[in-house]
Amino acid sequence: MIVGVDFGAPQRARDQRRKIIAVAAHSTGWRSYRIDATGMNTRLLANDPPGWTAKELVDELMARPARVVGFDFPFCVPHVLLRDPKFAADIGCKDGAFLGWRSFNWWIAQRLPLTDPLDFTPFAPWRDRAERARLWTKRATDIAAGGQPPLKDKFQATFQMTILGNVLLSKLWESQQYRVLPFPGGRGVGEIIEVYPGATLRTMGLASYKSRPDEAVRLSIAACAAVGIKLDVDLRLVALACRYSSGTAKAPDYDVADAFVALCTAILHAENGCRPALAPDPTWQERLVREWEGAIWVPTITSPDDS
């Protein structure tokens, strides 16, 4: 099984079920997958809203292990913050700087139990308006992929997504069923990767996609077909992707379509069709930056319509 997740981090469980959408695919043969309304996808057509709480999703992924899971949220923060003792001390860590992803990730998981509602209060110092110049910085992968700063908490929900997402990553890592790429270590045959539907679709020639869910789905299927990957998709799920939005009439947010793009990116990754996107660092080697900060995985192909 391969899974794509469009993530969100509202405080209340009922709102999480509107924003956290997962779409799964099952292998039916060599480079062939079926995306239907069974298994994890059952709730897409049976439930209203069709999503998951963070706790429900992590429990499902541990009970039903996947080969690859593509999550749409920042997996880490810039390495300059990981190496800053004040950044760690601001939320009560007295042992010095985090230094690496796993210590950052573990500490967050200890401070945010998956209750309803979620309590983000322990992380309030990372929202200090006076510290935005320091805290609202991008990772090398955010620069390369056009992503938001992981701790940005204005206009975007990125801050809470980064915090809550790392709780899920910590639990999945500790299950010993998954490795979180490209961070070193971990056990298990499953892989968890960071994806960004906007970056995926830009590689396919769709720069503005938020109001074009039908085109996002079409291009994602075409991108797989262009490298010999066959997708057998239940048309009811395509219809849902084109109509379901957790946003407003003026500002729609087509979460199922985003999850579908995340799924196709994860499928491409499973079939060796993705690469980590990183901008050059003026000081550190790419391998070190990747292992500290993580990376957004994007397709190696260009527009499938040109192939």
Side-chain angles (χ1 to χ4, degrees):
M1 179 174 69
I2 297 178
V3 183
V5 180
D6 183 51
F7 200 67
Q11 287 184 271
R12 297 196 174 275
R14 63 172 182 266
D15 297 320
Q16 290 171 33
R17 292 190 184 99
R18 294 176 58 248
K19 297 296 297 181
I20 302 177
I21 305 294
V23 182
H26 296 270
S27 175
T28 57
W30 186 74
R31 296 174 78 86
S32 297
Y33 297 87
R34 171 69 176 160
I35 305 170
D36 58 20
T38 63
M40 281 189 70
N41 293 346
T42 301
R43 67 176 56 202
L44 289 171
L45 297 181
N47 292 20
D48 184 18
W52 305 74
T53 67
K55 185 179 187 307
E56 289 170 345
L57 182 59
V58 76
D59 288 347
E60 178 75 8
L61 290 173
M62 287 193 288
R64 199 192 302 249
R67 176 184 170 194
V68 179
V69 184
F71 276 113
D72 174 19
F73 62 80
F75 281 15
C76 197
V77 295
H79 65 79
V80 66
L81 293 178
L82 292 177
R83 293 184 287 106
D84 181 358
K86 181 181 184 305
F87 179 70
D90 282 345
I91 63 163
C93 179
K94 305 302 183 184
D95 298 325
F98 292 121
L99 298 180
W101 168 75
R102 183 59 186 134
S103 56
F104 163 78
N105 168 273
W106 180 87
W107 192 266
I108 287 177
Q110 307 313 303
R111 296 295 182 273
L112 184 63
L114 296 179
T115 56
D116 184 18
L118 297 171
D119 181 11
F120 290 97
T121 304
F123 307 97
W126 289 352
R127 286 178 136 149
D128 187 348
R129 292 172 61 93
E131 294 285 331
R132 282 180 177 174
R134 179 174 68 97
L135 297 172
W136 283 17
T137 50
K138 292 187 176 186
R139 300 169 296 165
T141 194
D142 300 318
I143 295 169
Q148 294 289 330
L151 296 181
K152 184 176 180 181
D153 67 338
K154 187 177 182 181
F155 306 124
Q156 301 280 339
T158 315
F159 179 94
Q160 290 185 188
M161 288 170 61
T162 301
I163 302 302
L164 179 58
N166 268 276
V167 177
L168 269 65
L169 293 180
S170 181
K171 293 181 180 299
L172 293 171
W173 175 284
E174 290 168 1
S175 75
Q176 298 188 1
Q177 297 181 88
Y178 295 95
R179 291 171 292 119
V180 181
L181 303 185
F183 303 108
R187 298 180 181 178
V189 297
E191 296 180 343
I192 299 175
I193 62 169
E194 180 180 346
V195 301
Y196 177 29
T200 289
L201 290 168
R202 278 192 291 273
T203 69
M204 300 175 186
L206 186 61
S208 178
Y209 75 98
K210 282 297 187 181
S211 61
R212 302 176 68 187
D214 53 342
E215 187 68 358
V217 170
R218 184 191 73 80
L219 282 173
S220 298
I221 295 172
C224 290
V227 293
I229 300 171
K230 179 183 178 182
L231 302 183
D232 180 13
V233 187
D234 187 327
L235 293 180
R236 294 176 299 169
L237 298 184
V238 174
L240 180 68
C242 293
R243 74 171 182 270
Y244 179 80
S245 167
S246 64
T248 64
K250 290 186 177 180
D253 192 354
Y254 292 100
D255 308 87
V256 177
D258 279 349
F260 193 93
V261 176
L263 170 62
C264 289
T265 309
I267 290 172
L268 287 165
H269 170 81
E271 300 291 350
N272 299 312
C274 281
R275 62 174 177 83
L278 274 96
D281 188 279
T283 305
W284 302 98
Q285 295 178 3
E286 180 179 302
R287 176 185 61 82
L288 293 174
V289 174
R290 189 169 62 239
E291 291 180 355
W292 287 331
E293 299 183 346
I296 295 167
W297 296 81
V298 297
T300 54
I301 62 169
T302 55
S303 172
D305 291 338
D306 296 334
S307 59

